[in-house]
Amino acid sequence: MLETALTALEPVRGSCSISTYTGEAHTFTPTAPGRAPTLITSCRSLHWMGRPEVLDMADRVAAVNAVVAIMGDGSLWTHAADWTVALRGLIQTYLGEERRAGAHGTYADPGRSYEDDLADSAFNDVNEYRFAVARAWTPEDVVGYLRTTSFARPALFADRHHEFEAEAFGLLQSHAHSGVLEGDAEFTVLLARRPGDAA
């Protein structure tokens, strides 16, 4: 994924320098002196991390005027389009009612919002931005996406994964209009700074 991201960014990065890091987020340190990050982003992944520890790390290593951006638009599991509801129902017929997550467990609401976590961190000057997003998926796109999720990854289905994918593809084709599945979402961006930092 990092290689794909770097390839996509190369033609548009201009004079900006980009470096990557693989490992536990809370253990990150800059690769060289003077390379403190000015932007730290997380999209749909912060809920898998030790959120206070990650925000402490950001405070420790980030530049004085750094921004923490937390973004997301939910997942297909939570969207309420006819086709996503039907797809969730199909997944549940294979895996049970509860949403799967992690290696062997089910999803548990964290009990705290990102706003609560940010309020307790050094980055407690928060602005929220919401953007309406209209997506057009093909059935193939959705089946591919499902393979990357914690709630419908192939290992959960064991020897029934091929059967599930075939049934999911048929379900999605039946809901598609001219081969397209539409989904409206709201993309939320929280931009957090240390109090008093310049924008």
Side-chain angles (χ1 to χ4, degrees), residues 26-152:
H26 66 275
T27 66
F28 170 79
T29 56
T31 56
R35 294 289 303 270
T38 55
L39 176 63
I40 298 173
T41 65
S42 177
C43 184
R44 293 193 207 152
S45 61
L46 194 61
H47 66 282
W48 293 112
M49 303 178 201
R51 287 147 57 160
E53 293 85 358
V54 169
L55 292 169
D56 286 346
M57 173 277 299
D59 184 37
R60 188 175 66 252
V61 304
V64 172
N65 62 342
V67 175
V68 172
I70 301 173
M71 303 165 279
D73 62 346
S75 75
L76 288 188
W77 185 273
T78 58
H79 288 187
D82 289 347
W83 65 272
T84 58
V85 171
L87 181 61
R88 183 172 60 243
L90 176 63
I91 294 166
Q92 289 171 321
T93 63
Y94 279 84
L95 302 178
E97 289 295 312
E98 292 189 89
R99 177 180 173 176
R100 295 297 190 90
H104 305 289
T106 56
Y107 178 80
D109 190 295
R112 284 175 57 91
S113 68
Y114 294 142
E115 291 86 347
D116 292 338
D117 291 328
L118 290 167
D120 290 343
S121 80
F123 298 89
N124 55 29
D125 181 1
V126 181
N127 289 295
E128 180 180 283
Y129 302 90
R130 294 179 178 269
F131 304 92
V133 178
R135 289 204 175 90
W137 302 72
T138 65
E140 293 86 356
D141 291 338
V142 176
V143 169
Y145 165 78
L146 290 176
R147 293 176 188 153
T148 71
T149 68
S150 61
F151 61 81

Side-chain angles (χ1 to χ4, degrees), residues 2-40:
L2 290 175
E3 287 176 17
T4 299
L6 289 172
T7 300
L9 290 169
E10 184 59 32
V12 296
R13 72 178 181 86
S15 62
C16 295
S17 61
I18 300 171
S19 57
T20 61
Y21 169 78
T22 303
E24 295 180 319
H26 66 275
T27 66
F28 170 79
T29 56
T31 56
R35 294 289 303 270
T38 55
L39 176 63
I40 298 173

